[in-house]
Amino acid sequence: MYNRAWQRPVELQTYIGDYRIVGSTDEAVIFLLKHWPIDSDGEPAAGRQGFLEALEGAEAGDARAVFIEACLQLEMHVVG
């Protein structure tokens, strides 16, 4: 995957005191793969695979919007 930088990074809070800044499609994929919340069954929380697939073919601006949507669906605080 190409490192498609976003014009504006996305700042988010996953847990109390856990802040992240994601500034490219590659960083979003890494976040989804390594830091996505786990549900009570020990599986990645809802939507991760669908968002990974959507990111793969998306232009930078669209990928950013897909990533923000994924974070908001899990009720993360998003700035940007």
Side-chain angles (χ1 to χ4, degrees):
M1 182 173 296
Y2 302 105
N3 189 11
R4 295 168 284 183
W6 300 340
Q7 288 184 343
R8 289 185 345 186
V10 175
E11 298 177 42
L12 58 106
Q13 179 181 1
T14 57
Y15 307 104
I16 301 299
D18 184 17
Y19 294 88
R20 301 213 179 248
I21 297 175
V22 178
S24 71
T25 302
D26 284 357
E27 290 176 10
V29 168
I30 290 167
F31 180 82
L32 287 166
L33 291 174
K34 293 187 176 188
H35 305 289
W36 199 243
I38 303 298
D39 66 17
S40 60
D41 298 330
E43 295 294 322
R48 183 180 82 166
Q49 188 59 40
F51 290 113
L52 285 170
E53 291 169 6
L55 284 173
E56 181 143 344
E59 295 294 323
D62 295 336
R64 184 178 181 278
V66 166
F67 180 72
I68 290 172
E69 179 183 338
C71 294
L72 291 174
Q73 284 189 6
L74 289 182
E75 298 180 0
M76 294 180 195
H77 178 72
V78 177
V79 177

